[in-house]
Amino acid sequence: QVQLVESGGGLVQAGGSLRLSCAASGSIFSINIMGWFRQAPGKQRELVAHITSGGRTNYADSVKGRFTISRDNAKNTVYLQMNSLKPEDTAVYYCNILPPLHGYWGQGTQVTVSS
């Protein structure tokens, strides 16, 4: 059973930064694409960024230039560095493989950006 545990969220003022972490267990980490998703109140969950096992990255237009996804295969951890945060970035952030599997969703980590 794969477990994904997100951490690093919090309350930050607009313009601030946060670094999220996703710790993965199991043997899939080094061979799968990992992604960060977010879900704001009343909205559908959306893909924010993803990274391949080879380190290639892709970002949603809304976060491009502000967020950076990275991974440490030795630690089975994927990170999301979020800079220049905006109130519209407020959401619960989750990680998952791509394509996402229902059973892999964790509790997420809340990010709240105040104006």
Side-chain angles (χ1 to χ4, degrees):
Q1 180 72 27
V2 173
Q3 289 186 322
L4 300 172
V5 180
E6 303 92 348
S7 63
L11 173 64
V12 63
Q13 289 187 332
S17 299
L18 284 173
R19 188 194 194 203
L20 306 184
S21 298
C22 170
S25 64
S27 62
I28 68 167
F29 186 82
S30 63
I31 61 173
N32 273 271
I33 302 173
M34 296 294 297
W36 279 99
F37 300 76
R38 67 185 181 187
Q39 187 167 20
K43 295 187 177 181
Q44 289 189 332
R45 194 168 299 183
E46 62 174 347
L47 177 63
V48 173
H50 72 257
I51 184 168
T52 70
S53 56
R56 293 174 63 183
T57 60
N58 195 48
Y59 300 90
D61 288 343
S62 59
V63 306
K64 200 170 294 183
R66 301 187 297 122
F67 290 11
T68 302
I69 188 171
S70 61
R71 65 193 291 169
D72 185 335
N73 288 337
K75 295 182 178 180
N76 285 341
T77 302
V78 62
Y79 304 97
L80 187 68
Q81 177 66 43
M82 306 187 295
N83 299 327
S84 302
L85 282 161
K86 304 175 180 180
E88 51 263 44
D89 295 318
T90 295
V92 179
Y93 284 71
Y94 304 87
C95 62
N96 206 323
I97 65 173
L98 263 72
L101 293 180
H102 177 73
Y104 287 10
W105 292 114
Q107 296 297 311
T109 186
Q110 175 71 49
V111 172
T112 303
V113 185
S114 63
S115 57

